[in-house]
Amino acid sequence: MASKDAKVGEKRKSSSGTKAKSDGKAKKPRMGDSSEPPKRPAKDESDDFESFSDDDGDGGVKLEGKSDDAPKAGGDKANTAFDRSGMTSRESHAKQKQLAQERKAAKPLADEVHRTKKIWERLRRKSHVPKDERQKLVEELFSIITGRCRDFVLKHDAVRAVQTAIKYSTPEQRKQIARELEGSYAQLAESRYAKFLIGKLLVQNDDEIRDLVIPNFYGKVRKLINHAEASWILDDIYRTVATKEQKASLLREWYGPEFSLRELTKDTTPTADLKEILAKEPSKRGPIMKSLVDMINTLIQKKMTGFTMLHDAMFQYYSSTTPGTEEFTEFMELIKGDEGGDLLKNMAFTKSGARLSCLLLAHGTSKDRKQLLKTYKDTLVLMAGDNYAHLVILTAFDVIDDTKLVAKSVFPELLGDKEDEIVQNVVGAVNNPNARLTLLYLFEGLSKSLFPASQSFDWEVLQEVHEIRKTTSKKDEDVRRKELIAAFAPQLLSVIAAGSTELMSTAFGCQFVADVLLSEVQGKEAALEAVAQSAKGDPKQEPAEDEVAAAPHISRTPFGGRMLKSLIQGGRFDKAAGKVVQVEPPLGFANYLYPVIKDYVVDWATGPSSFVVVAMTEAGDFGESAELKKTLKKNKKALEKAATEMTPEQAAAKEDKAEKADKGGKKGKKKADAPVGNAGSKILLEKL
């Protein structure tokens, strides 16, 4: 065997020994040879289409059916060594460029590819191309690529031309390209450049194209999700365009190789619910769980933790484990062990990831919760405004017993450091449908006003968290909430004192002001005074025409009137008790408001916010009730007029109803006419 190896070695040596043997003497350099000049920095030609290489290996993707053994175009010229003897550097470069052009011209479809580049160069400057010219160029481009799309998507420069064709195509032309590329999408997804073509096809939300593209990924998910390029386009497709059944088919493949077989779900609707799958086939639990956790672990180790599909798979694994078991503990450690915390941060911004994060917080020990909360440092402001990530903050409020830790970690980051910054941050957060929950949740809990039907997912997750915390948290929920409010409210009260006018210009802002002021905390005087001062002025005065987006007087806004009425009543209405339950200490807001509106109290009593004056007459802590009633008696005629005449709102409603009737609206039982007059003024007349 040794002799055979030696012969093989000798044969290789002799076959390559075409060079003359060295005589052992060092060769002297010839004086006539000049050293190679230093290289000049290359010109930046990133915007020049011609500078892109046509080499198949540069960003291209090998489609099925293409052979690597095919002879290269250009014949012997491509393999001929370039002889530089007798040439200057400039001549050498010119010759090299000429040879490169010849090699390009000798390749298949060279002229067509060159023309598509020229068309792309023109079309990409959309604002500089007239519509008629653009239409002609697009038609020419389609005439070139039709029937040959597979050849054009091989290289990153040519695929851009195809993407441009898709951009300006008609729906039928897009479908034509999609059909032509059917069967090759999995390979295209692996290309650094061709993957964007898939996105261009799917961005128009065409169901036919979607159903052509997505089945190409079936059976290949385990490979593609680990691919540096294909993983992102696969997850984008899963997250944005795939139907429920298509998502299930893609996610099932995480459970093991056998789930890649389409025959298993040929006659049934595929499901990715792991609990349901394991309930039907409990004997396969071991292999399925191992396959799933291995896939999860692989992506975590690769730092590819931003995929929605990964978070869905993680939630399925969690749902199939039991807290306290070895499986559950190891899974928790796997998540906590991610260095840098990118996994937890990414999880918070997807539906399944946020839900899983909340449940892990609820199930964790105090040490686990502290570690998880620490991970979200410097991300809380972004999380507060997200559709799902804000749930993690609410869960932290609900389950972490160390309220000092929460107050120290969460509140300063949500509000900011500087006073002006705090006011602007709170005003912005209050009017954000998600961020406002992080400010008001401690005051309102799971109330319907805070969690309407559109927030049903939030309500479900928090209900689940509340059930879990009964066994995992030691502190009473009311005690925890009051401690957090005590730490949070002083800063919010200072915001109300500094920015009451801005806050009270919106319905969400008024809700925030009422919730904070009706909480059981001390030091509300400055905030109450600021709110009262926001009501000053003539209620009937119209905003100046030169004022941009000027807000109307607070008495003319329904949300402003409701807020002032609630503050005067000094508490919240309790349905069970059938009355308003006063807060401690009492607000006494009527005593702050009356001196401000005293000169215009009759306008208030006959205007849209007449119930504010009604609440004043009923307030037990109002010291000037007698004076108010005396003023109203003097203006009884104005009250009677307001009580009998149609208000502007009623007149507008009647006009709208008549307009609908003229247009032939639905006929039905004739409704009784709505009562006419200011209801608040009527009640005030009864009290006089």
Side-chain angles (χ1 to χ4, degrees), residues 587-607:
L587 287 183
F589 181 65
N591 297 312
Y592 290 92
L593 182 62
Y594 183 68
V596 176
I597 68 170
K598 183 178 180 180
D599 296 338
Y600 302 100
V601 71
V602 177
D603 293 330
W604 280 76
T606 57

Side-chain angles (χ1 to χ4, degrees), residues 174-188:
R174 280 195 296 273
K175 291 175 185 177
Q176 180 183 343
I177 294 175
R179 294 189 198 103
E180 192 172 333
L181 294 174
E182 188 177 6
S184 61
Y185 290 109
Q187 289 80 26
L188 293 177

Side-chain angles (χ1 to χ4, degrees), residues 378-409:
D378 300 328
T379 319
L380 294 173
V381 173
L382 191 62
M383 291 170 62
D386 185 73
N387 288 337
Y388 304 113
H390 69 273
L391 274 171
V392 179
I393 300 175
L394 302 187
T395 302
F397 292 159
D398 274 339
V399 301
I400 298 178
D401 292 335
D402 189 350
T403 53
K404 289 185 178 180
L405 172 67
V406 176
K408 184 179 178 181
S409 304

Side-chain angles (χ1 to χ4, degrees), residues 133-435:
E133 182 185 353
R134 183 169 68 244
Q135 186 64 33
K136 291 179 181 178
L137 290 173
V138 170
E139 289 175 1
E140 182 183 354
L141 183 57
F142 266 97
S143 68
I144 296 172
I145 67 172
T146 299
R148 295 182 285 194
C149 280
R150 289 186 180 230
D151 298 319
F152 281 90
V153 297
L154 289 175
K155 304 176 184 65
H156 67 276
D157 52 356
V159 78
R160 291 189 180 187
V162 180
Q163 291 179 37
T164 303
I166 294 171
K167 178 179 179 180
Y168 295 110
S169 63
T170 63
E172 189 55 42
Q173 287 173 328
R174 280 195 296 273
K175 291 175 185 177
Q176 180 183 343
I177 294 175
R179 294 189 198 103
E180 192 172 333
L181 294 174
E182 188 177 6
S184 61
Y185 290 109
Q187 289 80 26
L188 293 177
E190 295 177 348
S191 168
R192 183 183 302 177
Y193 304 101
K195 66 180 181 183
F196 297 112
L197 181 143
I198 302 175
K200 287 281 187 183
L201 283 172
L202 293 172
V203 75
Q204 302 296 332
N205 293 323
D206 188 295
D207 292 349
E208 184 178 340
I209 294 177
R210 178 198 65 203
D211 294 338
L212 278 172
V213 174
I214 294 180
N216 283 257
F217 299 108
Y218 293 160
K220 302 165 187 172
V221 172
R222 294 171 65 85
K223 174 189 174 185
L224 296 178
I225 198 64
N226 282 285
H227 192 277
E229 303 295 342
S231 55
W232 292 102
I233 191 66
L234 175 62
D235 190 69
D236 284 345
I237 290 171
Y238 175 86
R239 176 172 51 87
T240 57
V241 298
T243 63
K244 185 178 180 180
E245 290 75 17
Q246 289 168 340
K247 283 185 177 182
S249 296
L250 294 171
L251 189 58
R252 280 170 59 89
E253 297 190 25
W254 288 60
Y255 304 156
E258 67 178 88
F259 290 91
S260 301
L261 303 175
R262 296 291 296 160
E263 288 76 9
L264 294 177
T265 57
K266 189 175 182 180
D267 300 322
T268 59
T269 302
T271 178
D273 189 338
L274 190 53
K275 270 188 173 181
E276 184 180 332
I277 293 172
L278 294 178
K280 291 180 180 178
E281 299 181 271
S283 61
K284 294 184 178 180
R285 176 183 174 83
I288 290 176
M289 296 294 279
K290 184 179 185 305
S291 174
L292 180 54
V293 78
D294 286 347
M295 285 279 289
I296 293 170
N297 187 39
T298 299
L299 291 180
I300 292 175
Q301 298 307 319
K302 288 183 176 181
K303 303 295 181 184
M304 300 167 70
T305 57
F307 299 137
T308 300
M309 190 183 291
L310 169 64
H311 304 160
D312 286 353
M314 292 175 70
F315 182 74
Q316 290 299 328
Y317 185 90
Y318 163 84
S319 300
S320 302
T321 60
T322 304
T325 61
E326 186 178 353
E327 271 183 340
F328 182 88
T329 305
E330 289 178 355
F331 187 59
M332 171 77 88
E333 292 301 321
L334 174 65
I335 295 174
K336 291 194 304 177
D338 178 49
E339 296 180 2
D342 289 340
L343 173 60
L344 280 165
K345 289 177 182 177
N346 286 324
M347 283 170 56
F349 293 91
T350 63
K351 188 174 183 178
S352 294
R355 186 172 189 174
L356 178 57
S357 299
C358 293
L359 297 177
L360 291 177
L361 266 173
H363 279 296
T365 62
S366 58
K367 187 177 179 181
D368 293 335
R369 291 167 179 168
K370 183 177 181 179
Q371 182 179 345
L372 293 175
L373 184 61
K374 186 178 179 181
T375 303
Y376 296 115
K377 185 180 179 182
D378 300 328
T379 319
L380 294 173
V381 173
L382 191 62
M383 291 170 62
D386 185 73
N387 288 337
Y388 304 113
H390 69 273
L391 274 171
V392 179
I393 300 175
L394 302 187
T395 302
F397 292 159
D398 274 339
V399 301
I400 298 178
D401 292 335
D402 189 350
T403 53
K404 289 185 178 180
L405 172 67
V406 176
K408 184 179 178 181
S409 304
V410 178
F411 297 156
E413 189 171 336
L414 286 181
L415 300 179
D417 299 325
K418 300 178 182 178
E419 185 175 346
D420 294 341
E421 183 180 287
I422 292 175
V423 173
Q424 293 303 316
N425 288 345
V426 171
V427 170
V430 161
N431 292 290
N432 182 292
N434 297 312

Side-chain angles (χ1 to χ4, degrees), residues 64-84:
E64 293 176 358
K66 298 285 183 181
S67 173
D68 288 336
D69 299 329
K72 290 185 177 180
D76 295 334
K77 288 184 180 180
N79 299 321
T80 304
F82 176 54
D83 185 9
R84 302 187 185 189

